[in-house]
């Protein structure tokens, strides 16, 4: 303090009191400094590293959005690395407002009057994603999905949902609002995905009726020194091959001019029943494949060695049997979306070919009869649907004979053959999905439960091939049987 006149005792006393007050304030601040540091370190926003510097806190902002920052000490100075990306506005001693300007990254550091760092923030300014968040929350209210910005246009989806269909819906919403699927990264986790068991039934009944009737004539006529031999063999062309092998009647007429007639007649009726029931279980959203069948050889080429003069036939193998491939997706309200492909194939003599060999009999290559269905459908758990069906009826009839003679009303029967075929078939493919859970092993039964080979006396004297036993866990059947018992074989 400066006085124009000599200082009075009161003034000197005031200066002494001021010095003692300043010294007391400095002592209080020094004593409180150790107590203040743990308080700042305990706050996760203002964590202090081992070298005494503040750890920067990551802060995400949308363009033209702001956030309020409350600091523990008075702000003296603010450092903004790039004000064109984000800016800091200080309205009071311990409160600041951070505003996002444009998409980018920068950092902001706050200092106190002593030049010590109060807080540091790594600012990531992204596009405004509140529209995507509100749309996902409105569409999927029970989901836990977080939407974050990555780069200039990128969107990251994280969190968890109850089913894969909800994760797909969230991805579709973000893709539409983010203007392109390339800008969306879907990292949503599905909680407790369901398991789906698919039961497929392929049932087919086929009935064939074939009738073949024809007469073959052969003979010789002598007129003086001239001899005329004739032979009329009538083929069967409707079915494609002759069924008449040993079912024929032959008669001869005359001695010198002899005529021989062979009557060929055959009627065939057959019924074929095909049933396949493959079952397969897969996790919702994953694909599964089941195959039960085999392979058969098909000649694909022939190699001849001129030195050893030995030829070898090259073979390739073709697959046949039962196959099932499906991809289930469990949707809301217990409905299941299925992508199904099933196939049942078997060897058939129809359209089979026989390849001639240099030595020995020819090689017969069978054909494959295939029933295949592939589609996408939606079914509730436990419900059934016919995914494919076919009713097929085919009729063929052919008459072959000697021109002119075959058209005679009654007598022409001797010079012609009639081949008739009628084939009727009905095919149906049924699918039934179930949402399943794992069970204890004791609750499952195997096909060989209760199966035991028959003993030698039973096999030799009674012709038994197995002994009858009850399924474990069920009461044994009574022993007062009468008559034949066991498995029924059609």
């Amino acid at each position: 303090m400066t006085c124009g006149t000599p200082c009075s005792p009161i003034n000197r006393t005031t200066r002494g009191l001021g010095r003692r007050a300043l010294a007391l304030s400095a002592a209080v601040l020094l004593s409180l400094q150790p107590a203040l540091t743990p308080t700042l370190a305990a706050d996760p926003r203002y964590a202090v590293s081992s070298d005494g510097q503040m750890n920067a806190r990551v802060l995400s902002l949308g363009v033209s959005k702001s956030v309020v920052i409350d600091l523990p000490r008075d702000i003296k100075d603010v450092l903004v690395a790039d004000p064109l990306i984000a800016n800091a506005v200080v309205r009071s001693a311990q409160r600041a407002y951070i505003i996002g300007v444009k998409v980018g990254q920068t950092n902001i550091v706050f200092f106190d009057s002593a030049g010590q760092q109060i807080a540091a923030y790594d600012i990531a300014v992204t596009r405004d994603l509140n529209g995507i968040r509100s749309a996902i929350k409105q569409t999927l209210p029970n989901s836990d999905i977080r939407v974050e910005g990555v780069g200039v246009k990128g969107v990251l989806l994280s969190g968890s949902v109850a089913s894969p269909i909800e994760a797909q819906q969230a991805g579709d919403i973000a893709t539409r609002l983010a203007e392109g699927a390339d800008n969306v990264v879907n990292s949503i986790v599905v909680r407790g995905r369901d398991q789906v068991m698919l039961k497929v039934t392929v049932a087919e009944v086929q009935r064939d009726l074939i009738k073949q009737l024809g007469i073959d004539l052969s003979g010789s006529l002598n007129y003086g020194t001239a001899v005329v031999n004739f032979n009329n063999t009538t083929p069967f062309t409707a079915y494609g091959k002759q069924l008449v092998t040993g079912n024929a009647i032959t008669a001869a007429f005359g001695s010198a001019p002899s005529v021989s007639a062979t009557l060929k007649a055959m009627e065939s009726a057959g019924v074929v029943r095909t049933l396949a029931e493959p079952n397969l279980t897969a996790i919702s959203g994953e694909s599964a494949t089941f195959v039960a069948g085999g392979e058969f050889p098909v000649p694909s080429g022939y190699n001849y060695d001129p030195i050893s003069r030995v030829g070898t036939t090259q073979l390739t193998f073709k697959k046949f049997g039962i196959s099932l491939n499906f991809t289930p997706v469990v949707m809301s309200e217990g409905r299941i979306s299925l992508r199904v492909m099933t196939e049942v194939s078997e060897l058939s003599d129809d359209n089979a070919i026989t390849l001639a060999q240099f030595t020995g009999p020819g090689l017969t290559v069978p054909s494959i009869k295939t029933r295949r269905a592939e589609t996408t459908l939606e079914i509730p758990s436990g419900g059934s649907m016919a995914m494919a069906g076919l009713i097929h009826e085919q009729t063929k009839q052919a008459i072959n004979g000697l021109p002119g003679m075959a058209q005679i009303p009654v007598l022409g029967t001797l010079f012609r053959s009639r081949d008739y075929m009628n084939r009727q078939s009905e095919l149906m493919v049924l699918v039934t999905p179930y949402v399943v859970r794992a069970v204890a092993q004791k609750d499952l039964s195997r096909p060989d439960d209760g199966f035991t080979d028959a003993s030698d006396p039973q096999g030799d004297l009674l012709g038994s091939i197995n002994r009858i036993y009850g399924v474990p866990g069920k009461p044994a059947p009574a022993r007062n049987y009468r008559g034949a018992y066991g498995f029924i074989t059609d």
Side-chain angles (χ1 to χ4, degrees), residues 125-369:
V125 180
T126 60
R127 54 183 299 183
D128 189 10
L129 302 176
N130 288 333
I132 299 178
R133 293 188 183 97
S134 61
I136 293 178
K137 189 63 177 178
Q138 183 177 1
T139 306
L140 306 171
N142 298 325
S143 62
D144 183 15
I145 300 176
R146 295 182 296 275
V147 182
E148 299 176 1
V150 179
V152 178
K153 295 183 178 180
V155 177
L156 175 63
L157 302 181
S158 60
S160 61
V161 292
S163 64
I165 194 64
E166 292 185 358
Q168 182 178 358
Q169 290 178 354
D172 294 341
I173 294 173
T175 299
R176 290 180 177 273
L177 298 181
E179 300 178 355
D182 297 336
N183 302 328
V184 178
V185 179
N186 194 341
S187 299
I188 300 176
V189 179
V190 179
R191 302 187 300 265
R193 292 190 293 177
D194 295 320
Q195 298 184 96
V196 179
M197 185 191 75
L198 180 64
K199 178 181 179 182
V200 179
T201 301
V202 181
E204 180 185 17
V205 176
Q206 177 179 316
R207 182 177 65 180
D208 292 339
L209 178 62
I210 302 173
K211 296 179 182 181
Q212 293 181 345
L213 176 63
I215 298 177
D216 295 342
L217 294 177
S218 62
S220 61
L221 299 177
N222 299 332
Y223 185 75
T225 59
V227 179
V228 178
N229 296 323
F230 66 91
N231 186 9
N232 180 32
T233 302
T234 55
F236 300 97
T237 59
Y239 182 63
K241 61 182 178 179
Q242 179 178 330
L243 294 179
V244 180
T245 55
N247 191 16
I249 300 175
T250 303
F253 306 93
S255 55
S258 62
V259 177
S260 178
T262 302
L263 174 64
K264 299 180 296 184
M266 173 62 72
E267 181 175 349
S268 174
V271 176
V272 178
R273 178 177 179 264
T274 303
L275 179 65
E277 289 186 340
N279 296 341
L280 192 58
T281 302
I283 297 177
S284 176
E286 302 293 337
S287 299
T289 302
F290 169 80
V291 178
E295 298 180 348
F296 69 97
V298 176
S300 60
Y302 185 81
N303 291 334
Y304 178 74
D305 188 0
I307 299 177
S308 61
R309 296 182 180 180
V310 176
T312 57
T313 302
Q314 295 179 347
L315 299 176
T316 58
F317 289 86
K318 301 294 184 180
K319 296 181 180 180
F320 70 96
I322 300 171
S323 66
L324 172 63
N325 180 281
F326 85 113
T327 303
V329 176
V330 178
M331 306 175 67
S332 59
E333 300 178 0
R335 301 189 66 85
I336 302 173
S337 176
L338 296 174
R339 175 72 177 176
V340 187
M341 195 286 292
T342 182
E343 177 180 322
V344 177
S345 59
E346 60 183 348
L347 300 180
S348 175
D349 293 334
D350 296 343
N351 303 322
I353 59 174
T354 301
L355 303 178
Q357 299 290 326
F358 293 103
T359 58
L363 177 63
T364 301
V365 181
S367 62
I368 299 181
K369 184 180 180 182

Side-chain angles (χ1 to χ4, degrees), residues 21-22 43 57 72 81 86 100 111 116 139 164 182 211 235 241-242 281 285 290 342 350 375 390 407 429 436 441 443:
L22 291 175
D43 193 337
R57 179 190 178 191
F111 300 93
Q116 298 294 325
T139 306
D182 297 336
K211 296 179 182 181
K241 61 182 178 179
Q242 179 178 330
T281 302
F290 169 80
T342 182
D350 296 343
T375 185
L390 173 66
Q407 281 73 32
V429 180
V436 296
Q441 184 178 2
D443 296 332

